[in-house]
Amino acid sequence: MFKVIWLLRRKPGITMDQFRTHYETSHARLAQKYFGDLLLSYKRNYKTGTWGGGVPTAASGDDAKGSGFGPVDWDYDCIVEWTMPDEAAFERINRLFADPVIGREFNEDEEHFLDRGSVMLFKCDMADSGTGDGAERPAHL
């Protein structure tokens, strides 16, 4: 399998609710219409909070473990995951985006909600270790 992860930021002047509503009712539907058959999954993960800056279990200011884990500023509003059978499917999607009619439809839609200059894309080689069964967890936890 092949995965692409997109980092998306909303256009200045629109709220998170407006961003999400437009994405779900317009942009995601365009993707489903034109290349949904090339995707195994299409997930949108909308930010509700961002934490970082150290070890998750460390108290803020804990010198032994760094600065601690806490809220941090992060400008992106949505992490999108496309899972495809192979990279050839992604190349086919890119050809659809290059089509003058289809590409224009996506571009015009993005102008309503997306800060296009900030978009980032990651091509990923996936690894999955499974979830495990928790058998090694100490009984008191």
Side-chain angles (χ1 to χ4, degrees):
M1 283 194 285
F2 181 75
K3 183 179 275 191
V4 170
I5 295 176
W6 300 86
L7 300 181
L8 305 179
R9 184 170 31 207
R10 61 194 144 118
K11 188 175 185 171
I14 69 166
T15 68
M16 186 65 173
D17 284 341
Q18 290 169 322
F19 174 83
R20 183 178 182 150
T21 297
H22 186 88
Y23 199 132
E24 292 300 316
T25 61
S26 183
H27 207 66
R29 290 185 180 171
L30 284 176
Q32 291 168 320
K33 173 182 171 180
Y34 286 113
F35 55 83
D37 62 315
L38 298 172
L39 300 174
L40 299 175
S41 70
Y42 179 22
K43 297 177 183 176
R44 276 101 43 223
N45 304 277
Y46 295 97
K47 178 176 76 175
T48 60
T50 309
W51 287 58
V55 178
T57 56
S60 184
D62 184 345
D63 291 333
K65 296 184 180 181
S67 63
F69 206 68
V72 295
D73 289 330
W74 194 59
D75 291 336
Y76 288 92
D77 298 301
C78 186
I79 300 171
V80 177
E81 303 172 69
W82 289 354
T83 305
M84 295 152 277
D86 51 34
E87 194 164 0
F90 181 61
E91 292 165 2
R92 287 182 63 196
I93 292 169
N94 283 326
R95 286 194 299 275
L96 290 167
F97 285 147
D99 177 86
V101 174
I102 295 171
R104 182 173 46 252
E105 193 170 348
F106 275 94
N107 290 336
E108 288 174 358
D109 189 66
E110 289 170 355
E111 289 298 324
H112 294 286
F113 78 110
L114 188 62
D115 177 357
R116 294 180 70 208
S118 70
V119 172
M120 296 185 70
L121 175 146
F122 298 88
K123 292 169 134 185
C124 303
D125 181 17
M126 294 173 47
D128 185 347
S129 61
T131 59
D133 60 8
E136 299 298 319
R137 181 177 46 246
H140 69 281
L141 295 178

